[in-house]
Amino acid sequence: LQTRMQSLQPDPKAQYRSVYEALKKIVLTEGFWRPLRGINVTMLGAGPAHAMYFACYEQMKKSLSDTIQHGGNSHLANGIAGSVATLLHDAVMNPAEVVKQRMQMFNSPYKSVLACVRTVQKTEGFGAFYRSYTTQLTMNVPFQAIHFITYEFMQEQINPRRDYNPRSHIISGAVAGAVAAAATTPLDVCKTLLNTQENMALSSVNISGHLSGMVNAFKTVYQLGGVPGYFRGVQARVIYQMPSTAIAWSVYEFFKYFLTKHKLDKRT
């Protein structure tokens, strides 16, 4: 839904006023499973990407907090650790995101994930899978910095003892995801344009060939939609991110608690 709603020059058959209307229209005209198209490639990349992401975050947060605040909880350390972890995460997820978004566009010519990978590789080269990587990082570094700082801040407010508390992890994760998603929507719109290389949008501003680079994407979005263009799909993005970050944090905190408890039980 987010990919469709961020389309800057959508096909008349793919114009939507709200998230609910978009979902209803896609299901009725394109089938029940259409909104989930490309999810398999995302799931394939998500496992290793998140494993590296949380491992890197924990290690860096601990090291930097010891240095900056002598074992205390430093928001600066949380932000830096989240930003560095993003570099590893996005290196894995960027190609998966390119394939997913191309498959989710209206009238997508790709029949399967493999067909999409082969066609993009053949016609645009390997670089196409990383064309939006710098934009992705420019978006995700502030996103993750805001995300981790907000999560840790929320934990300080509602779970100061840092016990394993599923309710507090779900609330903190949801709030952190919503705040970070809303703040970084303009960058996400630019990333979607770079990933999909929307033909109708690019030709309407006389761009031939492929659009590359974040500065060009920012200019093109402004040409096509003005300032409101930067906030296309903000509602869909926040709705998507809130359960996503809430689930990610509650699962992560559960395994962290479970493994720590198991380690302590073994020692005693």
Side-chain angles (χ1 to χ4, degrees), residues 252-264:
Y252 171 68
E253 294 282 8
F254 167 74
F255 279 104
K256 189 175 159 187
Y257 163 76
F258 176 77
L259 294 169
T260 309
K261 190 174 178 293
H262 182 66
K263 212 183 223 179
L264 286 169

Side-chain angles (χ1 to χ4, degrees), residues 172-239:
S172 300
V175 170
V179 171
T184 57
T185 298
L187 292 157
D188 195 46
V189 172
C190 295
K191 184 201 78 173
T192 297
L193 182 62
L194 286 169
N195 275 350
T196 57
Q197 298 292 314
E198 231 183 294
N199 290 329
M200 282 175 74
L202 298 182
S203 59
S204 71
V205 286
N206 300 319
I207 294 173
S208 57
H210 301 302
L211 181 72
S212 63
M214 198 184 145
V215 175
N216 291 334
F218 251 92
K219 285 178 187 169
T220 308
V221 170
Y222 186 76
Q223 280 177 280
L224 290 160
V227 173
Y230 292 117
F231 290 91
R232 287 183 75 93
V234 64
Q235 192 187 2
R237 182 163 158 76
V238 169
I239 290 168

Side-chain angles (χ1 to χ4, degrees), residues 21 120 124 184:
E21 191 206 337
V120 172
E124 299 175 47
T184 57

Side-chain angles (χ1 to χ4, degrees), residues 49-162:
H50 277 78
M52 289 192 293
Y53 173 68
F54 279 116
C56 178
Y57 172 68
E58 276 298 325
Q59 191 56 50
M60 283 211 68
K61 182 179 85 165
K62 191 175 180 297
S63 306
L64 288 169
S65 288
D66 287 345
T67 309
I68 297 167
Q69 215 165 302
H70 305 293
N73 179 39
S74 161
H75 290 306
L76 177 63
N78 299 334
I80 295 168
S83 303
V84 175
T86 304
L87 298 174
L88 291 173
H89 176 270
D90 286 0
V92 176
M93 286 306 291
N94 206 83
E97 186 79 359
V98 171
V99 174
K100 184 196 80 172
Q101 289 193 319
R102 291 203 181 214
M103 290 186 73
Q104 287 177 344
M105 290 300 285
F106 182 74
N107 272 344
S108 171
Y110 312 108
K111 296 282 181 282
S112 69
V113 168
L114 207 58
C116 181
V117 171
R118 279 179 184 153
T119 309
V120 172
Q121 166 72 37
K122 208 170 167 183
T123 57
E124 299 175 47
F126 182 74
F129 295 109
Y130 283 94
R131 196 178 278 133
S132 66
Y133 184 56
T134 49
T135 306
Q136 180 91 327
L137 287 177
T138 312
M139 179 186 76
N140 275 357
V141 166
F143 176 92
Q144 296 302 353
I146 295 166
H147 171 206
F148 282 108
I149 289 167
T150 308
Y151 179 81
E152 298 287 357
F153 172 78
M154 286 295 295
Q155 282 292 284
E156 276 180 354
Q157 306 309 308
I158 61 177
N159 186 18
R161 288 176 59 193
R162 296 303 176 99

